[in-house]
Amino acid sequence: MPVEITWWGHATCTLEDSGTRVLTDPLFARRLAHLRRRRGAPPPPEAAAADLALVSHLHADHLHAPSLRLLAPGTRVLVPEGAVRAVPALRRLDRLRVTEVTPGDRVRVGDLVVRVVSARHDGRRIPVGPHRSPALGFVVEGEARTYFAGDTGLFDSMAEEVGPVDVALLPVGGWGPFLGAEHLDAARAAQALARLMPRSAVPVHYGTYWPIGMDGVRPHEFHAPGDEFARLAAESAPEVAVHRLDHGQSVRPEVAR
């Protein structure tokens, strides 16, 4: 069966590979604190069907306990080392199989191997809690090698740690009008693409959530990152096929045989 990727919005994707469904950073809420979903309906109930969920870091828009609670009993969930201590709500998700991981770990699920790689991002549970956990990326290896970057800035060893991949799911924006250096905007994501040189890329982490009452503040930062990334990627990595998906849309990217 061909590898298929569905983007549900923000950093939430379903990756189907080798008969296994992998869900990234599940976030199914209409509203989260000061953020509301401004584009696309929340994912349908079937989006919570997964064999494995990957959680890249502890920020509430990536580790969202109410969304994890929608997963079926027994679902495997990989979280950063220290997450259970830092986020007490995880301890109440005893129906799930939560495993803490750190860069360098390899986890087998079905016919897939998940490699855990570094990210450059603040891994704390903000705004409370002193406990630190690493922010992570993941490379899912099956019929394809798919890199889910989570949330990260550029870093020198990115290409070396990630290695050759067929598909890259790259963040290209955020949920507010300003992004710090520990994020990829469209320009930095295009630079990352030129380093990684996958066969295909899917831009994520943009055009979904925005702070309440700030609709008129730099609205291009909400609407434009996907198209801007595609434009810049065509300049910096023209060999890479960029698939700019709408919410709920799927793609079967070309992979090496």
Side-chain angles (χ1 to χ4, degrees):
M1 177 180 176
V3 173
E4 184 170 273
I5 294 165
T6 303
W7 182 49
W8 301 112
H10 204 53
T12 306
C13 299
T14 294
L15 164 65
E16 298 186 60
D17 188 338
S18 304
T20 300
R21 288 174 59 92
V22 180
L23 186 63
T24 65
D25 285 351
L27 181 58
F28 301 147
R30 290 184 179 274
R31 179 173 174 175
L32 174 64
H34 65 300
L35 307 178
R36 67 180 173 91
R37 191 172 180 120
R38 289 195 55 218
R39 182 184 290 167
E46 57 265 28
D51 303 290
L52 171 68
L54 306 177
V55 174
S56 64
H57 62 288
L58 304 192
H59 293 173
D61 57 322
H62 294 260
L63 196 171
H64 187 245
S67 294
L68 291 174
R69 202 172 293 124
L70 299 175
L71 303 180
T75 302
R76 189 85 177 269
V77 183
L78 303 187
V79 300
E81 185 177 48
V84 175
R85 180 186 182 194
V87 185
L90 278 177
R91 296 195 286 272
R92 296 191 285 273
L93 299 178
D94 53 4
R95 300 161 51 254
L96 306 178
R97 298 166 57 205
V98 177
T99 302
E100 295 189 348
V101 293
T102 194
D105 287 351
R106 298 171 66 93
V107 179
R108 177 172 288 279
V109 178
D111 290 331
L112 302 180
V113 172
V114 179
R115 288 196 295 111
V116 185
V117 299
S118 300
R120 293 298 182 269
H121 195 67
D122 188 340
R124 292 175 298 169
R125 183 70 164 184
I126 295 174
V128 296
H131 305 303
R132 288 187 174 273
S133 289
L136 306 175
F138 300 92
V139 180
V140 180
E141 300 180 342
E143 292 186 33
R145 293 164 297 185
T146 302
Y147 171 46
F148 170 60
D151 218 350
T152 186
L154 284 170
F155 56 98
D156 291 341
S157 63
M158 176 183 278
E160 179 182 355
E161 287 197 46
V162 172
V165 291
D166 298 292
V167 185
L169 309 179
L170 292 178
V172 302
W175 52 254
F178 302 102
L179 288 176
E182 291 189 337
H183 297 81
L184 295 180
D185 59 10
R188 290 192 289 267
Q191 293 178 48
L193 195 68
R195 297 182 186 188
L196 297 167
M197 291 304 296
R199 298 174 70 91
S200 301
V202 177
V204 302
H205 204 280
Y206 77 100
T208 309
Y209 292 91
W210 203 248
I212 294 169
M214 296 186 69
D215 289 8
V217 180
R218 296 174 63 86
H220 62 285
E221 298 290 355
F222 178 85
H223 295 285
D227 289 335
E228 182 70 358
F229 170 72
R231 182 183 70 80
L232 294 171
E235 297 174 359
S236 62
E239 301 91 343
V240 180
V242 174
H243 304 280
R244 197 194 67 75
L245 303 179
D246 293 326
H247 293 84
Q249 189 175 9
S250 302
V251 65
R252 292 180 173 180
E254 183 181 355
V255 301
R257 296 297 181 185

